[in-house]
Structure formats: structure tokens, C-alpha cells
Amino acid sequence: MSQDANTGRMYAGQPVEDRQRQRRARFLESGLTVFARDGYANSSVGAICKDAGLSSRQFYEEFTGREALLLELFEQIDRASREAVAAALETRTGASVPNQIEAAVRAYIESIGADPRKARVALVEVVGAGPKVEKFRLELRRVWGSLLAGAAEDAALQGGIPEGDYDMRVLAVIGAVNYVVDGWSGTEPRQPLDDVIRVLTRIILGAVRA
């Protein structure tokens, strides 16, 4: 039944559409847990349903399968982290390049790395998860590339870094940052966040100033 058809209907004193949103959110939360814990390749719909306390029938009313769930999780995590970085860069407009980079790195790590499950799913489990997921991952990487290259170009106009072609350097930076964030997020005890930010800021500065 479509959501429009359910609008206004009640179930156990609660609007049907609210219950559906809550159910979908439970599956997403459980997918995040199971994919991070077991690995996407070793996960199952059954394990996700068990963690959510819901049935497989309810799962397939929301998603076509594990891949659809993974794609939605990945999109949510990536969008949130990208919006956090864009907002951090905007608030530092006109600041020094090191200050802008530090703010962006902090925003990214706090968004994607604070929860080890998010870092694991978005940085590791999506890699090699299938042609559709890989295509989407590369599309999102291009979006990140455009965002970061644009920030580098703005910094060059302000005289903060040399002008140049940033595309390859941005790709190298993305790979380095994600590798470090995944390692930091999944290690206990964690290194102090400020230490990680300081290291990544130096790496990015070296790349964009090269």
C-alpha cells in the first residue's frame, strides 16, 4: 500500500505512516549494526530482522534486499558528512587555509568517524559490494572531488595556495583521509581526536600546496 493511501489511517493509536517511518528507521539502524559487525558479504536479512525485532515480511515491505538497505545507509552517512564539511568551510570563508582545512577535517571526522559503525560501512563495506554499489560509490566520490576542488580553487584565489589542477590531488587526499579515519574510528583506545586532525591537516596542506 502506498504512503498516500495510508495517510490519515491509525494503528494502535498511532498514524500508520509514523509507524512505517519508525520501522524503516529500525531496519536502517540494525543494518548499520549488522553490516559493521559481520561485514556486508557475511550479513543476512535474517540477522538484520533479528537485530531489529521485526519480521522478514516487514523488511521486504521496505527494501528490495540487503543491497537497497546498504545503498540507503551509505547515502545517508555520506550526505551528512558532506553537508558537515560544506558548512564548516562556509563558516571559515576568508580564514587561513590551514584553519579552513582543520575545520573541514574536524567536521568530517565528527560526522563519519564518531560512530565506528558508520565509518566501517561507508569506508570499507561498500567497497566491492557489487556493481550497483560501486557505481554509486564512485559517483559520490566525484561529488566529493568537486566540493574539495572548489574549496581549493577558492583558497588559490585568496592567495592561500598555488593555482593548479587539483583533481588528482583531491583524489589522493580523499583516499588518505578515509584510510586514517577508518583506522582511528575502529581502534581502542583511540588516539586523541586533535592529534588525528593535526596529522591530516598537514597531509592535506602538503597535497594542495605541492
Side-chain angles (χ1 to χ4, degrees):
M1 183 177 292
S2 68
Q3 184 172 336
D4 289 342
N6 282 326
T7 301
R9 292 187 59 195
M10 304 289 289
Y11 182 85
Q14 185 179 27
V16 171
E17 58 268 26
D18 287 350
R19 290 179 62 85
Q20 289 178 325
R21 281 193 292 269
Q22 292 170 7
R23 184 173 68 184
R24 191 176 189 86
R26 284 171 64 181
F27 278 127
L28 287 165
E29 181 69 14
S30 292
L32 187 62
T33 296
V34 172
F35 291 154
R37 183 191 68 206
D38 302 339
Y40 176 72
N42 298 318
S43 67
S44 67
V45 170
I48 295 167
C49 292
K50 181 179 180 181
D51 187 88
L54 297 167
S55 69
S56 59
R57 176 186 61 79
Q58 290 171 312
F59 178 89
Y60 286 110
E61 287 176 355
E62 299 294 334
F63 303 96
T64 57
R66 289 182 309 128
E67 183 180 67
L69 177 59
L70 178 66
L71 284 167
E72 186 164 333
L73 275 172
F74 182 33
E75 192 278 332
Q76 287 184 358
I77 297 167
D78 188 86
R79 172 165 40 83
S81 62
R82 195 167 62 250
E83 289 175 351
V85 168
L89 289 170
E90 185 175 355
T91 61
R92 296 300 193 281
T93 300
S96 68
V97 172
N99 186 276
Q100 292 182 50
I101 293 174
E102 181 179 338
V105 170
R106 183 178 298 277
Y108 182 71
I109 295 178
E110 289 179 346
S111 175
I112 202 170
D115 185 338
R117 300 175 304 166
K118 291 182 179 180
R120 184 70 189 181
V121 169
L123 304 181
V124 178
E125 296 305 322
V126 296
V127 180
K132 188 174 182 179
V133 177
E134 184 65 10
K135 179 181 178 182
F136 188 55
R137 187 179 73 86
L138 294 177
E139 288 173 358
L140 291 183
R141 191 170 69 178
R142 283 191 287 271
V143 175
W144 273 105
S146 296
L147 171 65
L148 298 178
E153 289 167 3
D154 290 342
L157 291 175
Q158 297 171 20
I161 58 174
E163 295 184 14
D165 181 1
Y166 304 109
D167 291 345
M168 290 301 294
R169 280 180 275 178
V170 162
L171 289 178
V173 163
I174 290 173
V177 169
N178 285 344
Y179 183 83
V180 171
V181 172
D182 174 56
W184 171 81
S185 179
T187 301
E188 292 293 344
R190 290 180 176 179
Q191 291 180 270
L193 177 58
D194 286 345
D195 290 352
V196 178
I197 292 171
R198 187 162 48 250
V199 169
L200 288 176
T201 298
R202 287 201 298 264
I203 291 172
I204 296 170
L205 271 172
V208 298
R209 284 177 170 170

